[in-house]
Amino acid sequence: MAMAAPTGSAAPVAPALCGHLALLLLLAAPAAHGYSFPQQHTMQYWARRLEQEIDGVMRIFGGVQQLRGIYNENRNLFEVKENVPRKLVEKVAGDIESLLAKKVRALKRLANAAEKFQKAHHWQDNIREEDIEYYDSKADTEYDDPDGEEIEREKSNSLKLEFTDDANFKTKVNYSYAAVQIPTDIYKGSTVILNELNWTQALEDVFIENRKEDPSLLWQVFGSATGVTRYYPATPWRAPNKIDLYDVRRRPWYIQGASSPKDMVIIVDVSGSVSGLTLKLMKTSVYEMLDTLSDDDYVNVASFNEKAKPVSCFKHLVQANIRNKKVFKEDVQGMVAKGTTDYKAGFEYAFDQLQNSNITRANCNKMIMMFTDGGEDRVQDVFEKYNWPNKTVRVFTFSVGQHNYDVTPLQWMACANKGYYFEIPSIGAIRINTQEYLDVLGRPMVLAGNRAKQVQWTNVYQDALGLGLVVTGTLPVFNLTEDSSDRKNQLILGVMGIDVALNDIKRLTPRYNLGANGYVFAIDLNGYVLLHPNLQPQIINFREPVTLDFLDAELEDENKEEIRRSMIDGNDGQRFIKTLIKSLDEQYIDEVFRTYTWAPIKSTNYSLGLVLPPYSTYYIQANLSDQILQVKYFEYLLPNSFESEGHVFIAPREYCKDLDLSDNNTEFLENFIALMEKVTPDSKQCDNFLLHNLILDTGITQQLVERVWKDQDLNTYSLLAVFAATDGGITRVFPNKAADDWEEEPEPFNASFYRRSLDNKGYVFKPPYRDAGYRGLDLENNTIGILVSTAVELSIGGKTLKPAVVGVKLDLEAWAEKFKVLASNRTDRDQLGTRRCDPSTSCEMDCEANNKDLICVLIDDGGFLVLSNQEDHWYQVGKFFSEVDANLMSALYNNSFYARKESYDFQSVCAPEAQSNTGAAPRGVFVPTVADLLNLAWWTSAAAWSLFQQFLYGLTYSSWFQTEEVAGDSMEARETSCIMKQTQYYFSTVNATYNAIIDCGNCSRLFHAQRLANTNLLFVVADKPLCSQCESIKLLQAEVRAPPRDPNQCELVDRPRYRKGPHICFDYNATEDTSDCGGGASFAPSLGVLLSLQLLLLYSSTSRHLLPPATCL
């Protein structure tokens, strides 16, 4: 333990009285070798010397005062503009509303036209595939076998189109046609599909007219209830290798548009009769059923035999978000069949769950989904008790597996409770039969007519065709036909969707006038961010939407919880708060002040927010009307001026439309210069604000070179470089050769040192980051630099702003030597040597003369080593200090010098975790015996057809075919989304000084720690450890993959975050016809097809190639 004797304003750690006495005695008593641990006043003296040296160098070379003067002298070249948060939010919200309103108009035209075309369409029983002319988007898709052989394409009557590159769609398109995508497991030659293709063909003209009216429209899509997707403009489908099982009906945007929110309880029969393949079919069915739910829905899953119990830790309905569904999917795999069947136990559990009104839930459609292999009990008494006569809960029953049970009771349960009965005899029936319940839920919507035609906007997700992050506006399309009795049809035809790229919305938001730490964000009714600088998912084309909560995008606190609630409620407001923020490099935590301003985006379910630091209330707007001055300043951007004026990096911003961006700053500068020779800063194709500010800052930083940097000898103060970075996008590094080792971002707004300097007073030290595994370089050949930066604060007419950051780069080796001298007993007059202690003289140790016995270090506010008097520490500069001296870092943390903040990154990407090899046999797939293969009756049985369906389904769920060994070998190159746990440390005390003893008996250590004023440094002096018996647990700072169930979803669901669902619910209509409630269906495949597919199945079961997942639209 560490016992402390605090001074200053810090809260003391209460040690025992004997601890105080022991510490005082140890500090005062000389050791046998004639010297003692430095007294507190001595170390405070050393601290002042360090502070003075740092301040002196920064005053001479930083040029803060001089740069203030330069800005004031050039006052006629710029204006100071004000950011008025409420006006900014109002304008941006209005612009986004207008953008989305244009898409809504196009969406409604499409939906109305679709209903009209379908109503006028005449069904054709004898329609043939050659009668339909359409572009099959998969006809041009290349499917490459992992072995390198091209797979033979399916014959197609598809139109042959030519495509041209389009910058808006980031792919090749054809604006004259729409494209059609049909899931691979649907026969495109069926009468239903051909009729669907026939009537939807008329939508192409509406697609084209919409684009003429609004050329900015992106993908226009009709997702049909039959599985057909027609989208415009035409482009070849982007599919994974071998096979594509994309089905529009399983996409969240389709599900959201096709039904109102759901409260669902899934109950699974796990009695002893449910064994082997049937149990696996049930598990996979639940897995697929969960994928039909969105974040607007609530769900729980339970298994039952004689008793019912939840399969997971969730004791009640929980939101069907990605993380909760993942828990269900993992826990469902652990279900074991045993005991006897008691339907009553399962249904009573389900009804109790749905009647629990003390929890957050959807409060709309209520349903029970029961999976069983069959039974005789109808549990009518349960339905009479809980659901009749109102029948507010729909019951859907699923007969799973191959068996000879009487299914009449299961059909009766569904029909008696406004539900539907389905059969899942095999794996291939799962996808279709776990999603068709949506047609039943859509009935009240269709019968409600225009009242139910509500445009909804989705969560953010990755577009399947390459647009990047998008949101989709959806509108249901209804069947308006009537039967012979003039009864309205109650089937939903599908969902119409129009995509909006997030980048198009971002372009409507201000950026550079808000400063480096100001930003705009937007959230939906779930609290998920639509816009936020921290919305940066690392995985593309994954199946789930991007659901990053606002409180996960930032560091959560009570103020932000209240702001989020107000935004979800559709209110506007403003609040000035003190909060914690994470640095851009995610190594540091800063306590800052921010103004949050928010307002709803009308006619949508989004709300817009603006975050502004106090110093960004005002900003500079250059006005370089003098063209001669423009040319003069511009010349300082030319590389031929770098040798005398220092190297200039320019931020890679979109200064002009025709400017080619590049990640290489030298190349980008060349592109910029070449364009500026053709256009002027006032050109209409350029952003005049960005260009004028860039050129102004070029001239201002050049004047800093002339007045300050050129007159100084950097070597005298052991400086590798001096630099200035500005809001205008200029980073000037002097001398020119120092640019070779410059590793900071050329965009100041993306540079951690720049953003932290604005938020922190004084001088911010930033050592080069080194992870725990870093082993160091040869210091003689590799000079290590430490950045020291500070913001330049201007006050112009009573308006305060920070338009620039200046700093120096210290030579580590030279400053380590200087550090030892400054923290020594050597006086200014005693430069030839220090006083030495000998056995006859009692004196204090210092950091120079006694570096073999005394450790002296400077640690920054994140706990990273900056300087040390130990030469073997030099290569560890930039490491988290616990990696250097775990014992001492633990003492600093335990004595409250540092606080710790833990958070989670839900957007990370990880290599897949290795799976254990439990055997080489394929898992879960039925492989027939030789006797089976020779038995003709077997080939025509349901089992054989089941295998065909297993083949199709297994290509999506590779675990049906792959061995553990194969999976382990094949997934090395694949990455998956994961949760990373982050830990940052930050100063928890201000101006504190501590003397303390790390009590380890004979191995005790003394240490002293003190904050250096006007810096982010902690000065620590400690005994070297005498032995290894006083080991401490090493504090961890590096980002690590979160363990399973961390964060603990089981606890989080008991305190759910505030959210709102859609404001209108369509779950009941008195005129609904519930007579269609399901029945068995079977396939009659040909023997030849089955034989071919079985051989392909057997080949696939031994294949060593793991297939990638389907993409999403």
Side-chain angles (χ1 to χ4, degrees):
M1 63 176 290
M3 294 180 292
T7 62
S9 60
V13 177
L17 181 59
C18 59
H20 281 295
L21 295 174
L23 176 60
L24 293 172
L25 290 172
L26 280 166
L27 288 172
H33 41 51
Y35 52 82
S36 62
F37 191 81
Q39 297 291 316
Q40 180 174 311
H41 64 83
T42 301
M43 289 179 281
Q44 289 175 336
Y45 169 65
W46 294 345
R48 285 194 297 272
R49 291 175 69 176
L50 289 167
E51 293 164 358
Q52 290 166 4
E53 184 72 12
I54 294 166
D55 186 62
V57 169
M58 289 299 290
R59 286 182 181 275
I60 295 171
F61 291 94
V64 173
Q65 295 295 341
Q66 294 89 333
L67 195 54
R68 285 196 190 108
I70 293 169
Y71 272 107
N72 284 320
E73 290 170 17
N74 291 277
R75 183 65 185 82
N76 61 314
L77 300 180
F78 63 86
E79 298 177 66
V80 177
K81 295 286 189 177
E82 183 178 4
N83 286 315
V84 182
R86 290 187 183 275
K87 289 184 178 180
L88 283 174
V89 169
E90 182 181 346
K91 180 184 184 305
V92 174
D95 291 344
I96 295 175
E97 179 190 355
S98 298
L99 172 71
L100 299 184
K102 290 173 68 177
K103 315 307 176 190
V104 167
R105 287 194 292 272
L107 196 58
K108 289 181 176 179
R109 276 195 297 271
L110 280 168
N112 291 334
E115 292 174 346
K116 172 185 170 186
F117 295 150
Q118 195 275 338
K119 187 175 183 179
H121 174 256
H122 295 289
W123 180 268
Q124 302 177 47
D125 286 323
N126 299 319
I127 194 169
R128 299 175 303 170
E129 194 168 356
E130 50 267 31
D131 297 334
I132 308 298
E133 188 178 73
Y134 70 98
Y135 171 65
D136 181 353
S137 62
K138 293 196 285 190
D140 292 328
T141 301
E142 297 287 346
Y143 294 95
D144 293 328
D145 187 276
D147 290 328
E149 298 179 4
E150 185 175 328
I151 296 175
E152 183 179 353
R153 291 182 191 166
E154 181 184 355
K155 291 183 180 180
S156 172
N157 296 319
S158 172
L159 293 171
K160 305 300 179 185
L161 304 183
E162 293 185 356
F163 303 93
T164 56
D165 286 316
D166 189 278
N168 291 329
F169 287 91
K170 302 178 184 177
T171 190
K172 295 177 179 292
V173 300
N174 184 309
Y175 281 111
S176 300
Y177 294 89
V180 170
Q181 190 273 351
I182 301 173
T184 307
D185 53 351
I186 291 179
Y187 176 44
K188 61 185 178 184
S190 72
T191 304
V192 172
I193 297 300
L194 292 176
N195 275 278
E196 193 81 12
L197 292 173
N198 194 17
W199 76 260
T200 58
Q201 189 170 357
L203 288 173
E204 289 195 358
D205 292 336
V206 187
F207 287 146
I208 293 170
E209 286 300 315
N210 274 346
R211 181 177 175 268
K212 287 180 180 178
E213 185 165 318
D214 181 7
S216 69
L217 275 178
L218 297 176
W219 300 122
Q220 303 175 63
V221 187
F222 174 61
S224 165
T226 63
V228 173
T229 304
R230 190 179 286 270
Y231 62 91
Y232 175 87
T235 190
W237 186 250
R238 290 188 176 191
N241 291 341
K242 273 196 175 181
I243 198 164
D244 170 39
L245 287 179
Y246 173 94
D247 190 325
V248 68
R249 295 168 298 181
R250 305 192 73 82
R251 299 308 308 131
W253 68 266
Y254 181 95
I255 294 168
Q256 180 175 315
S259 64
S260 291
K262 302 174 278 296
D263 286 324
M264 176 187 291
V265 179
I266 301 172
I267 53 175
V268 185
D269 178 1
V270 291
S271 59
S273 62
V274 179
S275 60
L277 183 59
T278 300
L279 181 59
K280 185 145 193 177
L281 287 172
M282 287 187 180
K283 292 177 180 180
T284 308
S285 298
V286 174
Y287 190 104
E288 284 293 294
M289 181 66 72
L290 290 168
D291 279 343
T292 67
L293 303 177
S294 72
D295 290 84
D296 289 334
D297 304 321
Y298 283 75
V299 65
N300 202 355
V301 182
S303 61
F304 71 92
N305 37 44
E306 300 93 343
K307 295 182 180 180
K309 63 178 181 179
V311 299
S312 72
C313 58
F314 302 143
K315 307 304 181 187
H316 52 73
L317 291 171
V318 297
Q319 187 182 13
N321 58 39
I322 292 171
R323 283 176 242 162
N324 289 339
K325 288 193 288 187
K326 183 179 180 181
V327 172
F328 282 128
K329 289 176 181 180
E330 291 172 352
D331 291 344
V332 160
Q333 298 305 316
M335 292 191 305
V336 177
K338 60 181 179 180
T340 59
T341 304
D342 184 355
Y343 285 158
K344 184 174 183 179
F347 277 108
E348 285 187 336
Y349 177 88
F351 279 113
D352 287 341
Q353 289 278 300
L354 292 171
Q355 288 183 352
N356 184 357
S357 59
N358 296 323
I359 57 167
T360 306
R361 55 183 185 172
N363 283 319
C364 191
N365 285 295
K366 296 180 179 61
M367 66 203 68
I368 298 171
M369 325 297 273
M370 182 180 73
F371 293 90
T372 180
D373 64 341
E376 298 180 358
D377 190 2
R378 300 190 177 200
V379 290
Q380 181 171 338
D381 57 330
V382 175
F383 299 132
E384 289 175 347
K385 176 181 177 181
Y386 288 97
N387 204 37
W388 292 356
N390 295 327
K391 300 182 181 180
T392 56
V393 177
R394 296 181 189 266
V395 175
F396 296 85
T397 54
F398 298 81
S399 175
V400 183
Q402 307 285 343
H403 54 74
N404 296 317
Y405 297 128
D406 180 13
V407 299
T408 305
L410 298 181
Q411 291 176 320
W412 180 87
M413 290 181 198
C415 295
N417 292 280
K418 297 173 64 176
Y420 210 91
Y421 164 75
F422 298 97
E423 290 183 2
I424 302 179
S426 56
I427 188 73
I430 292 177
R431 280 172 66 87
I432 187 69
N433 286 331
T434 54
Q435 68 193 23
E436 287 205 337
Y437 77 92
L438 292 171
D439 291 342
V440 177
L441 298 190
R443 292 172 184 171
M445 290 180 63
V446 177
L447 295 171
N450 289 333
R451 286 193 304 113
K453 291 183 179 178
Q454 303 287 327
V455 174
Q456 297 188 65
W457 290 95
T458 68
N459 298 327
V460 178
Y461 68 96
Q462 290 277 3
D463 171 54
L465 294 172
L467 276 181
L469 293 178
V470 299
V471 293
T472 299
T474 66
L475 196 61
V477 180
F478 300 152
N479 189 330
L480 301 184
T481 60
E482 298 176 346
D483 62 18
S484 56
S485 303
D486 292 334
R487 286 189 305 178
K488 291 176 63 177
N489 195 298
Q490 55 186 17
L491 290 179
I492 187 168
L493 290 176
V495 177
M496 201 69 72
I498 288 184
D499 288 346
V500 179
L502 279 200
N503 284 336
D504 289 342
I505 299 177
K506 286 180 182 177
R507 290 189 187 100
L508 302 176
T509 65
R511 175 66 183 100
Y512 297 106
N513 60 300
L514 302 181
N517 290 317
Y519 57 90
V520 171
F521 71 97
I523 67 173
D524 64 14
L525 295 179
N526 278 302
Y528 299 145
V529 293
L530 163 73
L531 297 174
H532 198 285
N534 294 335
L535 178 62
Q536 299 173 345
Q538 300 300 306
I539 291 283
I540 60 171
N541 284 338
F542 52 88
R543 297 171 64 180
E544 299 91 356
V546 181
T547 53
L548 179 66
D549 196 284
F550 169 64
L551 297 178
D552 294 324
E554 305 196 356
L555 293 177
E556 183 176 355
D557 61 36
E558 290 184 5
N559 283 314
K560 290 175 185 174
E561 286 180 14
E562 293 173 8
I563 290 168
R564 177 182 176 276
R565 176 183 285 266
S566 179
M567 293 178 73
I568 290 173
D569 285 340
N571 301 323
D572 54 19
Q574 187 174 75
R575 182 176 291 192
F576 182 71
I577 67 172
K578 182 165 71 172
T579 187
L580 296 179
I581 64 166
K582 201 180 301 182
S583 66
L584 199 62
D585 57 15
E586 299 183 328
Q587 304 300 330
Y588 299 91
I589 296 288
D590 289 314
E591 189 175 58
V592 300
F593 290 96
R594 294 288 189 265
T595 297
Y596 281 72
T597 308
W598 62 94
I601 302 173
K602 296 176 182 176
S603 303
T604 74
N605 49 1
Y606 300 132
S607 184
L608 186 79
L610 170 67
V611 181
L612 213 58
Y615 49 79
S616 292
T617 302
Y618 300 97
Y619 64 96
I620 283 176
Q621 180 172 301
N623 181 21
L624 297 177
S625 56
D626 186 341
Q627 293 188 355
I628 296 176
L629 192 62
Q630 286 182 16
V631 173
K632 177 184 175 182
Y633 283 0
F634 179 75
E635 288 178 350
Y636 297 132
L637 285 175
L638 303 178
N640 59 18
S641 70
F642 290 176
E643 196 58 42
S644 61
E645 310 298 331
H647 192 101
V648 174
F649 297 92
I650 68 170
R653 301 174 181 175
E654 295 183 26
Y655 300 101
C656 298
K657 292 180 181 178
D658 295 334
L659 178 59
D660 294 327
L661 300 178
S662 173
D663 292 333
N664 183 305
N665 202 255
T666 300
E667 182 179 320
F668 178 69
L669 181 58
E670 291 172 355
N671 296 343
F672 178 79
I673 292 171
L675 183 63
M676 286 299 99
E677 291 173 350
K678 302 175 185 177
V679 301
T680 69
D682 298 309
S683 170
K684 290 184 179 180
Q685 65 161 299
C686 296
D687 188 318
N688 304 138
F689 170 75
L690 289 183
L691 266 182
H692 278 255
N693 278 24
L694 180 79
I695 295 173
L696 172 66
D697 286 355
T698 303
I700 283 179
T701 55
Q702 186 276 335
Q703 292 176 47
L704 183 64
V705 175
E706 293 294 331
R707 298 190 189 186
V708 181
W709 297 347
K710 278 188 176 180
D711 296 334
Q712 303 293 341
D713 181 6
L714 272 60
N715 292 327
T716 303
Y717 287 86
S718 305
L719 304 182
L720 299 175
V722 287
F723 60 89
T726 71
D727 277 359
I730 291 292
T731 301
R732 189 181 290 275
V733 180
F734 184 88
N736 184 41
K737 64 179 182 180
D740 296 339
D741 299 319
W742 188 257
E743 298 178 347
E744 305 303 317
E745 288 285 341
E747 169 58 82
F749 284 17
N750 292 340
S752 185
F753 82 87
Y754 191 87
R755 295 172 66 157
R756 293 203 71 218
S757 296
L758 296 174
D759 275 326
N760 290 275
K761 294 181 179 179
Y763 309 123
V764 177
F765 282 69
K766 179 181 178 289
Y769 174 70
R770 311 292 189 199
D771 61 28
Y774 180 76
R775 290 294 175 261
L777 301 169
D778 183 354
L779 293 180
E780 293 181 2
N781 300 323
N782 297 275
T783 304
I784 298 176
I786 298 169
L787 290 189
V788 188
S789 57
T790 188
V792 178
E793 186 174 292
L794 299 182
S795 182
I796 300 175
K799 301 172 182 177
T800 302
L801 62 158
K802 296 180 180 180
V805 169
V806 295
V808 301
K809 192 174 186 180
L810 308 180
D811 182 332
L812 167 64
E813 195 169 351
W815 270 78
E817 293 294 340
K818 183 177 291 192
F819 168 58
K820 288 195 289 186
V821 172
L822 292 170
S824 74
N825 296 324
R826 185 193 298 188
T827 64
D828 295 336
R829 291 171 294 180
D830 184 18
Q831 293 299 314
L832 296 177
T834 60
R835 292 183 296 119
R836 299 289 178 180
C837 295
D838 56 54
S840 62
T841 308
S842 175
C843 58
E844 297 177 25
M845 291 188 288
D846 67 35
C847 299
E848 182 185 25
N850 307 101
N851 61 343
K852 293 183 179 180
D853 303 293
L854 205 62
I855 293 177
C856 303
V857 292
L858 291 178
I859 312 172
D860 71 14
D861 56 327
F864 297 95
L865 179 62
V866 175
L867 283 175
S868 174
N869 72 332
Q870 304 296 307
E871 192 167 339
D872 62 345
H873 284 177
W874 293 355
Y875 78 87
Q876 300 190 81
V877 163
K879 282 189 176 183
F880 185 59
F881 192 59
S882 193
E883 300 292 339
V884 182
D885 191 330
N887 178 247
L888 185 52
M889 185 64 197
S890 293
L892 293 172
Y893 175 68
N894 291 334
N895 280 278
S896 301
F897 273 99
Y898 286 95
R900 179 167 59 194
K901 184 70 176 178
E902 293 181 342
S903 59
Y904 295 90
D905 180 1
F906 295 98
Q907 305 176 92
S908 294
V909 57
C910 300
E913 294 179 319
Q915 299 182 22
S916 61
N917 185 5
T918 57
R923 297 177 300 166
V925 61
F926 170 71
V927 179
T929 65
V930 173
D932 287 330
L933 293 173
L934 296 176
N935 185 345
L936 182 63
W938 182 87
W939 283 103
T940 57
S941 71
W945 181 239
S946 169
L947 283 176
F948 162 54
Q949 295 170 313
Q950 287 177 26
F951 164 71
L952 284 180
Y953 205 70
L955 290 171
T956 297
Y957 288 90
S958 57
S959 64
W960 282 82
F961 292 140
Q962 300 299 331
T963 66
E964 297 282 5
E965 182 180 16
V966 170
D969 291 344
S970 305
M971 291 181 66
E972 287 181 5
R974 292 182 61 198
E975 293 179 322
T976 180
S977 59
C978 62
I979 301 173
M980 299 297 287
K981 188 174 185 177
Q982 296 181 340
T983 305
Q984 289 89 16
Y985 291 80
Y986 59 101
F987 286 153
S988 60
T989 57
V990 180
N991 296 328
T993 215
Y994 273 86
N995 285 317
I997 180 173
I998 305 172
D999 188 4
C1000 291
N1002 293 332
C1003 297
S1004 296
R1005 297 174 68 186
L1006 289 168
F1007 77 91
H1008 171 90
Q1010 178 166 334
R1011 289 277 300 275
L1012 293 190
N1014 209 36
T1015 73
N1016 66 324
L1017 297 179
L1018 181 69
F1019 177 36
V1020 182
V1021 179
D1023 283 328
K1024 270 197 172 181
L1026 298 175
C1027 55
S1028 60
Q1029 295 175 12
C1030 194
E1031 294 180 353
S1032 297
I1033 297 176
K1034 185 186 292 185
L1035 298 177
L1036 297 179
Q1037 189 275 336
E1039 184 179 62
V1040 296
R1041 187 167 184 168
R1045 306 292 171 91
D1046 185 16
N1048 192 328
Q1049 288 297 113
C1050 305
E1051 296 178 359
L1052 292 177
V1053 296
D1054 288 330
R1055 49 180 193 280
R1057 288 170 172 167
Y1058 182 70
R1059 64 173 297 277
K1060 277 189 174 180
H1063 61 283
I1064 296 181
C1065 170
F1066 297 96
D1067 62 341
Y1068 172 79
N1069 191 288
T1071 64
E1072 179 184 346
D1073 179 8
T1074 61
S1075 60
D1076 180 11
C1077 52
S1082 62
F1083 299 98
S1086 70
L1087 177 60
V1089 170
L1090 279 173
L1091 179 59
S1092 301
L1093 287 167
Q1094 180 61 19
L1095 292 174
L1096 187 57
L1097 167 67
L1098 294 175
Y1099 164 76
S1100 298
S1101 68
T1102 58
S1103 169
R1104 295 183 60 84
H1105 303 292
L1106 190 63
L1107 301 178
T1111 55
C1112 62
L1113 187 67

